[in-house]
Amino acid sequence: MHASGSRASDRVAGLVGLVLSIAVGAVFALVLLASLRSEEARLYEASRMVATSIAQSISDVVQRAVQVGIPIKDLTGVDPYLSGIIDANEEVDAVAISDANGEILFRAGKPAEETEADAVSVPVAVGNRTVGRILVTPKFVAVATVRHDIAALALASSILAGLLGGLWFRLHRLEEIDLPSARLVVACRAAARGNFADYSSPPENSPLRRLGTRIARLTAPVRRKARDAYALADEILAIDVTGAFTSRVQDALAPLSAYRFDHLTQPYRRAGWGGWIVLPMLVAAEATAPLVGNFMADRIGPEPIAQLYVGGGFIAEALGRLLAIPVVLLIAARLPRAGMVAGLLLAAVGIGSTYWNHDPYQFAVARFAAGFGIWLAAWSALTREGTARRLPWRAALLLLCAWGIGPVLGALIAEFFGRRMAFLITGIATAILALVCLTQPWRGTSRASLSWRGPPLPALLALVAVMAVTVAWLQIHVALFMPIRYSLLALHFALAGAAMSVPWWTGLRLQLPVSASIALAAVVAYLLAPVPVWPISVAVGFGFGAVIAGLGAQGFRMASATAMIAGFMLAGIASVVGFILNLEPLSIVCVLAAALVLTAAATSARTGARRTQPSTQSG
C-alpha cells in the first residue's frame, strides 16, 4: 500500500464530507425557503398580472367582434386561437370565454374543476353593458421555477461544501499524518537493517514530529562516531605512503561496511509541498466548463449552426491542450515556475476576455488560449519534487477539483452574477494565482515525473471513451440542449463530482473497460428511453471516477494526458459531424465510445490470455 493511500484516512475524509454536506444543505434549505416565503406573494401577484394582461388582450379582440354585430357564441376559430395562446405563453394554464350569465362558451387548456379557483376574470364590455368574460388561469410557473432553483441551489451547495470539506480533510491527513507515519516506518525499518541515515520526520505540526525527532537524536551519536572513524581512516591512509597500514585500516573498517551512515542530500522543506497549488489552478480552469457550450450557442450562433460553433470551440480548446504537452516537455523540467506563471496568465486572458466576446472565431481563439495556458501551468506544477509520495491521492484530488468543485463553483457564480461576469471573475482569479506562484518555495525537479510511458493500450482506450462520454454529456448536452438554468447545471456537475469521489472513499476498483461501460450505458439508456437526467449524470460521474481511480498514478502520465485530450476532442468533433450529417452528437459519441470500449476489452482479454499461457504450459 502506498504511503498516501491510507484507507482509514479515506473513510474519515468521506465521512467528514458527508456530514458537512448534510449540515450545509439543511442550513441552505432553511435560509432559502425562508426567503422564498417572503417572495411567494409577490411571485403569485406577478403571475396574476401576466394572466390579466393576456385576458385583456383577448377581451379587446372579442370586443371588436361584438361591436361589428357578431354574438360571442357565434364566433368562429376561437378554439384554435385559445390553444395558440396557451402554447405561446407558458404562464397560462387554461383560457375560457363565457357569456354574461357565466356559462362557458369556449375553453382551452386544463378542465374547469382544476383551474376555476385561480382564474383571472376580465369583462368584455360594449358601451356600459357586459356581454361576456375572459377567464385566464395562471400556471404560476415562476413560483415553481424558483422552488426548483432553490432546491437545486441548496443541494448543489451542500455537495460542493462536502467535496471541499472532504478534500481539505484528506489533504490534511495526507500531509500531517499519513506521510509522516510512512517516513517514521521507513526510518525504523532502515535502522533495523543497519541503515542509520537521517530519516527524521518533517517539522510540520504532526503528532509524530517529536517521536521522529527523538529517533533522529538517538541515532546521531552512532552517525557521529562512524564519521569520526572514517575521517581518522582517511588521515591514516593519506600519510601511509608505503601502504603498510592499508590492510589493517580496511580490516578495522570492514565491520562498518554493512551499515549506512550517510545524510540526506537535501533537507525536507519546511513549507510543505508547494505542488498543491495545482488544485486551485484546476478549479479556476474548469469553473467555466458548464458555461462554454450554452454561451457559444446562446450569444454567438443561431440555431442550428450553433452546434457547429460549439464543436469548434471544444476542438480549439483540445488543440490548445495538445500543443501544451510538447511545451511542457521542453521547459517544465528546466523552468517550471516560468511555465506555471506564463500558463496561468495566458489562461486568464483567454477566460476573462470572454466577457467582451461576441464573435465565434474570437471565442475559439480564447478557448485555445485557455486550454493551452491551463494545461501548461498544471503540468508544470505536477512536475514538482515530492509528487511521487502523493501519487494515489493526487489523482483523486485533481479529479475532484477539475470536474466537481470547479464547474459547480462556476455555475453558482453565473447564477448570482451572470454568465459573462462568471468568465471575468474566473479570469481574474486565474491571474491572481499566477502572482501566488511567484511566492511559492521551489526546488528543482527532474524529467522522471514527465515520463511518456503510460498505462497499457486497453487502459488508454477506456480513458478516451469515458472522457468523450463525460464531456459530451455534461459539457455539451446538459449545458446546451437543456434549459439554461445555472442552478440545475451546478446540480448536474455536483452530482457527477460526488459520484466521481465514490471509488476513492470506498476503495472500489473495477476493470477499466467495465468502468467506462457504466458511463456509456447510462447515456445510451437516456437516448433509447425517457429516463430522468439526474441519474445519468451520477452514472457518468461514477464511471469517469472509476476509470481514473483504476489508473491511479498512471492517470497523470503524458500518454494519459494525451488520451484525455483525445476524448475531449472527440466530443467536439462529434458535435461538428452531427451538424453536417444532421445527427444527434451524443449518439455519435456513444457509437465511437462503444467501439473503443469493445476494443479495450478485447485487447485486455488477449493480453490476459497470453500471460496465462506460459504458466499453463509450465504446469
Side-chain angles (χ1 to χ4, degrees):
M1 177 64 68
H2 194 276
S4 65
S6 170
R7 301 306 311 155
S9 294
D10 295 350
R11 290 189 292 268
V12 173
L15 182 60
V16 168
L18 179 60
V19 171
L20 185 60
S21 178
I22 294 173
V24 172
V27 172
F28 263 81
L30 292 175
V31 172
L32 293 175
L33 285 176
S35 63
L36 174 63
R37 288 171 183 168
S38 63
E39 293 292 326
E40 269 191 347
R42 186 182 62 83
L43 293 173
Y44 277 116
E45 184 61 28
S47 296
R48 290 191 179 94
M49 290 178 62
V50 171
T52 302
S53 175
I54 294 173
Q56 186 62 55
S57 167
I58 299 172
S59 176
D60 293 341
V61 174
V62 175
Q63 182 180 354
R64 286 194 295 269
V66 174
Q67 285 175 347
V68 298
I70 304 175
I72 293 182
K73 63 180 181 179
D74 294 333
L75 293 174
T76 60
V78 177
D79 291 334
Y81 172 69
L82 297 182
S83 299
I85 291 176
I86 293 178
D87 293 339
N89 297 275
E90 62 175 7
E91 285 284 348
V92 176
D93 227 358
V95 180
I97 300 177
S98 69
D99 59 14
N101 298 322
E103 181 182 353
I104 302 297
L105 303 176
F106 306 97
R107 183 175 187 85
K110 289 186 176 181
E113 57 270 15
E114 298 182 16
T115 61
E116 185 174 354
D118 297 325
V120 174
S121 178
V122 174
V124 179
V126 178
N128 296 326
R129 184 168 56 95
T130 299
V131 298
R133 286 190 171 275
I134 308 299
L135 305 175
V136 176
T137 304
K139 191 182 291 186
F140 301 113
V141 174
V143 178
T145 300
V146 170
R147 286 174 178 169
H148 292 160
D149 288 344
I150 286 177
L153 284 173
L155 188 54
S157 300
S158 66
I159 295 176
L160 176 62
L163 290 176
L164 284 172
L167 186 146
W168 173 84
F169 192 81
R170 188 60 183 87
L171 180 60
H172 171 77
R173 297 270 300 192
L174 172 62
E175 293 292 341
E176 301 295 337
I177 297 177
D178 294 338
L179 290 179
S181 300
R183 294 188 187 107
L184 178 62
V185 171
V186 169
C188 293
R189 289 177 176 174
R193 294 193 300 267
N195 183 356
F196 295 99
D198 186 2
Y199 286 101
S200 59
S201 301
E204 290 99 350
N205 294 328
S206 168
L208 300 173
R209 173 186 176 185
R210 295 182 180 179
L211 181 59
T213 304
R214 184 61 178 167
I215 290 176
R217 289 176 180 174
L218 289 175
T219 59
V222 179
R223 296 194 303 273
R224 190 180 304 112
K225 293 296 184 181
R227 287 197 302 270
D228 293 342
Y230 279 113
L232 179 61
D234 290 340
E235 292 177 3
I236 293 174
L237 294 177
I239 62 177
D240 184 19
V241 180
T242 61
F245 298 99
T246 300
S247 59
R248 296 175 61 184
V249 171
Q250 291 177 348
D251 292 340
L253 294 178
L256 298 179
S257 61
Y259 304 98
R260 290 181 57 193
F261 300 93
D262 57 321
H263 292 276
L264 293 177
T265 56
Q266 292 181 340
Y268 285 106
R269 186 161 28 87
R270 296 180 180 272
W273 186 57
W276 289 124
I277 194 173
V278 75
L279 300 182
M281 281 184 195
L282 292 177
V283 169
E286 298 298 334
T288 58
L291 312 177
V292 173
N294 59 60
F295 178 86
M296 179 73 87
D298 187 46
R299 294 296 182 188
I300 295 180
E303 292 287 354
I305 202 171
Q307 186 175 324
L308 180 63
Y309 286 152
V310 170
F314 279 93
I315 292 173
E317 184 173 351
L319 289 175
R321 296 185 182 191
L322 186 63
L323 181 62
I325 289 182
V327 178
V328 170
L329 292 172
L330 289 174
I331 72 171
R334 300 178 178 88
L335 301 171
R337 190 199 300 266
M340 293 168 59
V341 174
L344 286 172
L345 291 177
L346 185 60
V349 172
I351 296 172
S353 64
T354 306
Y355 180 81
W356 297 277
N357 205 312
H358 294 276
D359 181 78
Y361 303 106
Q362 293 177 1
F363 186 73
V365 173
R367 296 316 302 170
F368 177 88
F372 176 85
I374 204 62
W375 215 247
L376 173 62
W379 281 97
S380 297
L382 290 175
T383 61
R384 298 193 70 146
E385 190 172 1
T387 57
R389 295 188 295 273
R390 299 165 173 84
L391 286 178
W393 255 94
R394 183 183 70 178
L397 298 176
L398 294 180
L399 175 70
L400 293 181
C401 286
W403 286 89
I405 296 173
V408 177
L409 192 59
L412 293 178
I413 293 174
E415 176 70 24
F416 289 102
F417 300 101
R419 184 168 49 194
R420 288 187 180 272
M421 186 59 68
F423 279 101
L424 182 60
I425 292 173
T426 304
I428 293 173
T430 307
I432 293 174
L433 283 175
L435 300 179
V436 173
C437 288
L438 295 175
T439 65
Q440 288 289 300
W442 195 264
R443 292 194 304 185
T445 183
S446 66
R447 288 187 179 274
S449 58
L450 288 173
S451 173
W452 184 268
R453 186 181 62 180
L457 180 60
L460 292 176
L461 294 177
L463 182 57
V464 173
V466 77
M467 186 73 178
V469 171
T470 304
V471 173
W473 172 255
L474 288 175
Q475 295 197 28
I476 296 181
H477 187 81
V478 171
L480 179 62
F481 295 101
M482 292 185 179
I484 303 175
R485 292 167 59 185
Y486 303 113
S487 58
L488 300 183
L489 287 178
L491 182 55
H492 271 284
F493 277 90
L495 292 173
M500 289 176 193
S501 65
V502 171
W504 278 278
W505 306 130
T506 61
L508 179 64
R509 296 294 184 269
L510 301 174
Q511 294 292 328
L512 297 187
V514 175
S515 301
S517 298
I518 294 174
L520 176 61
V523 177
V524 171
Y526 171 80
L527 293 173
L528 297 179
V531 297
V533 295
W534 306 109
I536 307 302
S537 295
V538 173
V540 169
F542 176 80
F544 185 55
V547 170
I548 300 297
L551 288 171
Q554 291 183 327
F556 291 87
R557 297 284 182 88
M558 283 299 175
S560 301
T562 306
M564 294 181 191
I565 296 172
F568 196 93
M569 184 177 294
L570 191 63
I573 292 174
S575 183
V576 175
V577 173
F579 168 77
I580 297 174
L581 301 179
N582 195 23
L583 296 174
E584 170 63 48
L586 203 58
S587 302
I588 299 175
V589 170
C590 287
V591 171
L592 296 176
L596 292 172
V597 170
L598 291 175
T599 304
T603 306
S604 179
R606 286 197 302 269
T607 304
R610 293 194 193 101
R611 290 177 179 176
T612 57
Q613 283 179 358
S615 59
T616 303
Q617 293 174 358
S618 61

